[in-house]
Amino acid sequence: MGRAEMRKAAQKKGKGGGKRGAAAASAAAAADPGKKRFIDYPRWGKTGVRRWLPSWKQWLSAFLLFFATGVGIVFYLYQTTTVPQLKDLVKEQNTIYYWADGSEMTRKGDTNRQIVELSDISPNLQNAVISAENETFRTDSGIDPKGMLRAVYNMAKGGETQGASTITQQYVKNAYLSQEQTLSRKLKEFFITLKINQQTSKDEILKGYLNTSWFGRNANGAQAAAQAYYGVNAKDLNLCQSAMLAGLLKGANYYDPSKPANHDRAVERWKWILDRMVITHNTTPEERAKCTTFPEPIQQKPSSNMNGEVSYLVDTVNQYVMATDKTITQQMIDKGGLKIYTTFEKDKVDALKKAVDDVKAENLNPQKRPDNDTFIQFGAASIRPGDGAMVALYGGDGVENGHFDNNANATGVQVGSTFKPFVLATAMQVGVQTAKGDDGKPKRINADSRYLSDDLSEIRKPDGSLVIGDDGKPYRQKNEDAGKRGYVSLRQAMQFSYNVPFVQLNQDVGGQNVADIAVQMGIKKESLADPKTPTFPLGTSTISPIRMATAYGTLAASGKEAEPYSATKVEVDGKERPGFGKKDTKAALEPAVADNVTDVLVNVAKNGTGTKTNTLGRPVAGKTGTTDQNKSAWWVGYTPQLVTSVAMWREDPNKHDRLSLNGTGGKESIHGGDIPTDIFTRYMKAALANEKKMDFPNPQPVGTEVDSSGAPSTATATPTQTPTQTATETPSAPAQPTQAQPQPPQPPQPTQGGGCVPGVDCQPTPPPTHLPKPTPTDTCFLLSCTTPTPTGGGPGGGTGKPTGGGKPTPSSTATP
């Protein structure tokens, strides 16, 4: 029955009336497609689900249509894709860096590159690169579908992208495309790779790849790399050198052995590549056996426009830029086309360098004291609190003097007693576990709370049990002197940097709580020592000057943590990238807590170990730090407008071992209140010369006085107060504690012939004391009452020999 007949039948049945006629009419109407359609969908003559299911003809038609369309698009893109000439691709641009005021700081350009023939590149390097990067290069199609799908998938989910898998794809990425990781760039890479693989010989591809690859040290191409690392031409590279250079292609920032943090992994990759060359038959076992000693590169030749502190500023901002925008790589920066506007203020950078240089000239004489005044290192960072902008850094003597590590971002120097304010802040914000408030939570305390300060005191856990050292005996904490000072307020304990009160306070609040607060204030978690060790509050952590300035900036900003940043704007090929500049601050501490800790640190600067800062004539807060065996000395201080950290240590650049500062500058020992504080004061005078004097906020009450177990009653205790400092006050001498009954604690006396112990500050001429020093008893010697330093990072600390902490590491692997 045709369609017309079906309509007539439906009409006739409809006239018959009744339910049957109505149903038939309805069915006929549902089945009636009306005029004949080009695509019969929904399908006529079908009911229910089948009406909406395409037929096999429709499925086949759709598949063929999409397939044909896809083939057409691919064919069109392939035909319209052009492969430019290699000679037109090596025109490099500059990456330009600007000071905070918009004037040009420096530029990286004139890329070190020389195009050479494949015959002028050692077969050793050719084979090493093939073995390491793409062992099937000679026979493959140039495309790794799995690798490309993996990269596209990572981009789609927002993860970090992966590099190209074959040498041909890497060559296309290096030479013909930008370094950005986008889907459109991946498609271009695919089509250009197909064309190059069909139109170009494998030797030409390998030549192009080796001439366009980035090897670090601003070297693009094998010839430039051979000269930069070994001072030879590419054709003269031996097998051992070639394997090292091939390892750099995986990431020169990560495998350049010139940087101490990279050396071990560079050696491991070198060995792996040599072994791969044997497996892939690109060298013989006999030749591989000749590479027994790692081929150390020659000293890097610095660029003249990177002299002074500029190289460290560029290094810092590069690390920040790459951490903020993962699509920007060091290779991309070196290739050029970027404009980076930094936060660094030239006058402050110059002032900080002058302060360091002047203090060095006045105190150090390597010719007169070669065994004490050589290898002295300084690192410093100056940041605006509440904002996070880095305005000045001191990273070292300059690349022109062979100093390439960025000391401002060094992460291997113990911070000593500059860590103690984090313990006090935690006690004020979190509370001590030894006392409970009405709500059943740990009771928050204030700076008038009193703790035992006697030298070699036993330390107890919150439950009252003794802390046991690694030797299985009760742990005893040492102060700088052997005096019996009794119970002192935490304010006074901070003023004279007693160890015992803060080690006990750390137990009472919990080391992990202290670590958490430090991280909230801006410290990197990975730079912290084990919080379970008793000496954790004494600064065994190795924190960079940048991060110490950040954390103290949180105190200066009344508890608001501002992430440090060094770039306000970044342009790539004329287009601004998002995500740079000041970030929103985070509430790390309650304002009252931060302001009360600041009040305590004002007392340290005015009357304690930081009295050199009194010559500034304006309110200053801060803390000194001196560490185990006098291996480092710190001052971290701030005004309401600026926070600056200064670190000093001694390190053999060949062995990267830290040495004692004892004897430096002809002094028996160096403490944080001496040279570091002097540098701080000189710099801050210049940096704040044109800024008005400002007072810190008046601290609101926080917590209550919660004395540790055994403290005498408040009625007999001697109160300690912080003198109120204003911008117009004349600096005064260190305050003498008031005499009362019982006799109050006195400032410590330096011990004879001994160096500083972990976290202890040698005092800068403390007020005199008439208290006799007790002589250690036989029992004390049996208990090994020496400086307890954890040796294994395990819980409980220890009374073994000090380990000296970690080594300073270059900033190439660390982000501020």
Side-chain angles (χ1 to χ4, degrees), residues 52-74:
W52 298 96
L53 289 177
S55 67
W56 67 269
K57 291 180 180 180
Q58 290 173 329
W59 278 115
L60 179 60
S61 299
F63 171 77
L64 292 175
L65 178 62
F66 282 111
F67 179 78
T69 302
V71 170
I73 292 174
V74 170

Side-chain angles (χ1 to χ4, degrees), residues 101-353:
D101 63 3
S103 60
E104 184 174 318
M105 176 195 300
T106 190
R107 59 177 63 203
K108 297 183 72 172
D110 300 323
T111 299
N112 184 16
R113 186 206 299 277
Q114 181 182 351
I115 302 296
V116 297
E117 296 298 323
L118 191 61
S119 58
D120 290 327
I121 299 176
S122 168
N124 290 316
L125 181 59
Q126 297 179 40
N127 292 330
V129 169
I130 291 173
S131 298
E133 298 294 307
N134 182 193
E135 63 183 79
T136 62
F137 167 72
R138 296 288 183 185
T139 58
D140 64 30
S141 63
I143 292 291
D144 177 14
K146 291 183 178 179
M148 292 197 70
L149 288 174
R150 188 166 54 247
V152 171
Y153 172 74
N154 285 338
M155 283 188 290
K157 72 176 185 178
E160 291 191 24
T161 57
Q162 297 178 341
S165 299
T166 70
I167 284 178
T168 308
Q169 286 175 274
Q170 292 181 58
Y171 168 47
V172 169
K173 177 182 174 183
N174 292 343
Y176 300 103
L177 302 168
S178 67
Q179 297 298 313
E180 63 178 349
Q181 297 286 352
T182 62
L183 184 58
S184 62
R185 195 199 63 75
K186 280 292 178 185
L187 287 174
K188 290 180 182 178
E189 176 189 310
F190 177 80
F191 291 113
I192 294 177
T193 301
L194 286 178
K195 275 203 167 182
I196 286 182
N197 196 66
Q198 290 184 359
Q199 300 173 0
T200 312
S201 69
K202 290 290 186 178
D203 281 350
E204 282 297 311
I205 292 173
L206 185 59
K207 168 192 169 183
Y209 176 63
L210 291 175
N211 276 300
T212 57
S213 291
W214 181 71
F215 289 84
R217 290 196 176 187
N218 203 34
N220 282 269
Q223 175 65 16
Q227 288 288 344
Y229 285 92
Y230 293 112
V232 301
N233 291 320
K235 64 180 180 181
D236 299 323
L237 290 167
N238 60 38
L239 177 65
C240 308
Q241 295 168 334
S242 296
M244 198 290 290
L245 291 178
L248 296 174
L249 295 175
K250 191 175 179 66
N253 270 348
Y254 201 65
Y255 288 100
D256 181 355
S258 306
K259 301 171 182 177
N262 295 349
H263 195 274
D264 289 346
R265 57 175 164 260
V267 173
E268 289 302 312
R269 181 155 179 80
W270 173 72
K271 292 178 180 177
W272 179 84
I273 290 175
L274 289 170
D275 292 339
R276 289 296 304 169
M277 293 182 72
V278 174
I279 294 172
T280 57
H281 306 292
N282 281 314
T283 194
T284 64
E286 292 75 20
E287 288 297 316
R288 192 268 178 256
K290 295 178 182 178
C291 293
T292 56
T293 303
F294 182 73
E296 299 290 349
I298 62 176
Q299 190 176 42
Q300 186 174 356
K301 298 177 182 178
S303 175
S304 60
N305 65 342
M306 289 289 164
N307 289 347
E309 297 307 301
V310 171
S311 65
Y312 311 121
L313 304 181
V314 167
D315 172 78
T316 300
V317 75
N318 283 349
Q319 297 300 322
Y320 171 73
V321 167
M322 290 186 288
T324 303
D325 188 334
K326 299 292 186 182
T327 67
I328 299 177
T329 64
Q330 186 66 53
Q331 180 180 358
M332 186 174 174
I333 293 173
D334 286 352
K335 190 173 182 180
L338 282 73
K339 290 184 178 180
I340 301 176
Y341 296 82
T342 78
T343 59
F344 300 118
E345 300 177 21
K346 189 177 187 304
D347 60 335
K348 290 182 174 57
V349 171
D350 292 342
L352 184 54
K353 185 179 189 306

Side-chain angles (χ1 to χ4, degrees), residues 414-748:
Q414 291 183 332
V415 298
S417 289
T418 57
F419 198 84
K420 289 175 181 175
F422 304 142
V423 184
L424 180 58
T426 307
M428 290 181 173
Q429 175 128 339
V430 177
V432 292
Q433 302 173 47
T434 52
K436 302 293 183 181
D438 295 337
D439 56 1
K441 295 180 179 179
K443 200 165 188 178
R444 298 166 62 172
I445 69 175
N446 60 26
D448 290 325
S449 301
R450 293 171 298 140
Y451 271 69
L452 182 65
S453 66
D454 289 352
D455 186 45
L456 297 173
S457 292
E458 294 177 335
I459 304 300
R460 296 184 179 274
K461 298 178 182 178
D463 62 6
S465 62
L466 291 171
V467 173
I468 305 300
D470 288 341
D471 58 359
K473 299 176 181 178
Y475 175 90
R476 292 175 180 269
Q477 180 58 53
K478 184 174 178 55
N479 286 325
E480 170 61 15
D481 72 328
K484 298 292 184 182
R485 308 298 177 187
Y487 286 81
V488 301
S489 71
L490 293 174
R491 187 187 309 276
Q492 189 171 1
M494 188 78 75
Q495 177 181 348
F496 298 114
S497 204
Y498 295 131
N499 281 345
V500 172
F502 286 98
V503 172
Q504 183 59 63
L505 182 61
N506 181 74
Q507 289 290 324
D508 292 351
V509 300
Q512 188 57 56
N513 288 330
V514 174
D516 293 342
I517 289 292
V519 170
Q520 288 177 204
M521 293 175 65
I523 300 300
K524 288 286 189 180
K525 184 178 181 180
E526 56 268 25
S527 65
L528 292 175
D530 185 354
K532 295 187 292 294
T533 57
T535 52
F536 177 66
L538 302 183
T540 54
S541 299
T542 54
I543 305 167
S544 72
I546 289 176
R547 283 292 164 175
M548 286 302 293
T550 299
Y552 273 57
T554 300
L555 297 173
S558 295
K560 295 179 180 178
E561 190 268 338
E563 275 297 293
Y565 68 100
S566 53
T568 57
K569 184 171 70 171
V570 175
E571 294 179 359
V572 179
D573 296 328
K575 296 180 180 179
E576 184 174 349
R577 292 291 182 90
F580 293 96
K582 179 183 176 181
K583 305 296 189 299
D584 292 337
T585 58
K586 294 178 290 186
L589 298 173
E590 293 180 9
V593 170
D595 293 343
N596 273 273
V597 175
T598 291
D599 185 57
V600 171
L601 298 184
V602 166
N603 187 45
V604 173
K606 186 174 178 64
N607 303 310
T609 56
T611 54
K612 279 183 179 288
T613 63
N614 286 335
T615 60
L616 276 179
R618 63 172 69 222
V620 178
K623 184 70 184 75
T624 51
T626 311
T627 59
D628 179 24
Q629 300 178 29
N630 207 210
K631 287 186 176 181
S632 62
W634 287 75
W635 169 262
V636 188
Y638 55 95
T639 67
Q641 304 104 312
L642 204 59
V643 54
T644 302
S645 63
V646 180
M648 175 184 181
W649 69 95
R650 188 167 176 241
E651 179 186 6
D652 186 335
N654 297 316
K655 300 178 181 179
H656 295 286
D657 289 333
R658 287 191 296 114
L659 307 171
S660 175
L661 290 170
N662 290 338
T664 298
K667 301 176 182 179
E668 183 177 350
S669 62
I670 298 294
H671 53 80
D674 188 7
I675 290 179
T677 307
D678 192 7
I679 291 172
F680 168 89
T681 304
R682 296 186 188 210
Y683 162 69
M684 294 290 275
K685 279 183 179 179
L688 299 174
N690 297 321
E691 297 195 31
K692 65 180 182 180
K693 298 177 182 179
M694 294 179 63
D695 290 322
F696 291 108
N698 187 31
Q700 299 301 308
V702 65
T704 57
E705 181 179 336
V706 181
D707 300 331
S708 64
S709 177
S713 64
T714 306
T716 60
T718 301
T720 59
Q721 296 181 348
T722 301
T724 302
Q725 183 179 13
T726 65
T728 58
E729 283 183 335
T730 302
S732 60
Q736 298 277 353
T738 306
Q739 296 296 323
Q741 296 296 329
Q743 187 166 329
Q746 300 292 320

